């Protein structure tokens, strides 16, 4: 297969679209790295509790290869460490899927500056940082692909006031 023995990193793979992408890439024969802000099995965050391990376990149960790594995608040094580790172990990174992110309700009047900044960091800065660190690797190996997950909210009103999410996804599209 064309993806056999290739290496992928899928951010935001603990659930939803990212998990589905990670499962599909593993089924196609890729070694899939998945990342989460915290991978502690005792994590109490309802969005992350054990799910990065659950994704890894599900991939492995299906015969795929997967490794979970901790990474706050808003932190340049943590992002760099992830790419350095993957490259050191495999001398290649073939696919990056930027799927990390989330939304917060509110328009510009109701949304606090703190929530705005958090959304920009989670949804847009994370894409910048992962691209910053993977592009030199892909350029040196002469190949690779980056898939940035955006949203229709980045191009039109979707019926839900989420100004920061819409703005950051428009940024990802650009």
């Amino acid at each position: 297969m064309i993806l056999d023995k290739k290496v992928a990193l899928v951010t935001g793979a603990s659930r939803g679209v990212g998990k589905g992408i990670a499962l599909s890439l593993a089924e196609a024969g890729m070694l899939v790295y998945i990342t989460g802000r915290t991978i502690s099995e005792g994590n109490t965050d309802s969005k992350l509790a054990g799910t990065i391990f659950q994704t890894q376990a599900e991939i492995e149960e299906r015969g795929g290869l997967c490794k979970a790594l901790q990474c706050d995608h808003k932190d340049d040094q943590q992002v760099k460490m992830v790419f350095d580790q993957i490259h050191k172990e495999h001398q290649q990174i073939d696919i990056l899927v930027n799927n990390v992110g989330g939304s917060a309700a509110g328009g510009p009047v109701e949304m606090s500056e703190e929530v705005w900044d958090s959304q920009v960091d989670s949804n847009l800065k994370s894409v910048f940082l992962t691209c910053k660190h993977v592009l030199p690797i892909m350029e040196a190996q002469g190949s690779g692909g980056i898939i940035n997950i955006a949203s229709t909210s980045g191009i039109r009103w979707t019926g839900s006031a989420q100004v920061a999410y819409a703005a950051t996804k428009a940024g990802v599209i650009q």
Side-chain angles (χ1 to χ4, degrees):
M1 295 184 78
I2 198 165
L3 297 179
D4 195 36
K5 304 216 184 338
K6 300 286 185 178
V7 179
L9 170 62
V10 182
T11 69
S14 61
R15 60 191 171 97
V17 172
K19 179 178 179 177
I21 292 169
L23 288 165
S24 294
L25 292 175
E27 287 173 3
M30 294 192 81
L31 165 60
V32 181
Y33 281 80
I34 54 177
T35 55
R37 284 178 292 192
T38 179
I39 60 170
S40 168
E41 290 182 87
N43 181 24
T44 58
D45 183 329
S46 63
K47 290 183 178 179
L48 297 175
T51 55
I52 203 79
F53 283 123
Q54 291 168 357
T55 300
Q56 179 180 5
E58 193 170 333
I59 288 170
E60 290 171 347
E61 286 168 8
R62 294 179 182 194
L65 299 172
C66 182
K67 186 168 185 179
L69 299 174
Q70 183 174 350
C71 183
D72 179 347
H73 297 90
K74 301 173 288 190
D75 182 302
D76 183 61
Q77 286 305 306
Q78 288 188 38
V79 173
K80 182 181 184 319
M81 285 175 32
V82 164
F83 285 105
D84 287 350
Q85 179 177 341
I86 296 169
H87 190 253
K88 181 181 177 185
E89 292 175 5
H90 303 285
Q91 294 73 52
Q92 68 188 60
I93 301 173
D94 302 293
I95 295 177
L96 165 63
V97 179
N98 277 312
N99 182 63
V100 73
S103 65
V109 174
E110 348 20 80
M111 184 172 284
S112 70
E113 184 177 353
E114 179 180 86
V115 171
W116 172 270
D117 288 345
S118 176
Q119 287 280 280
V120 170
D121 285 351
S122 291
N123 297 336
L124 192 55
K125 182 179 181 181
S126 63
V127 173
F128 163 73
L129 290 176
T130 55
C131 289
K132 174 182 178 170
H133 292 290
V134 80
L135 282 169
I137 295 167
M138 289 180 172
E139 288 172 350
Q141 68 193 24
S143 65
I146 300 171
I147 302 163
N148 296 321
I149 305 297
S151 169
T152 55
S153 293
I155 56 173
R156 65 176 175 78
W157 171 254
T158 58
S160 179
Q162 47 189 5
V163 66
Y165 180 76
T168 58
K169 291 306 181 176
V172 169
I173 291 167
Q174 287 301 311

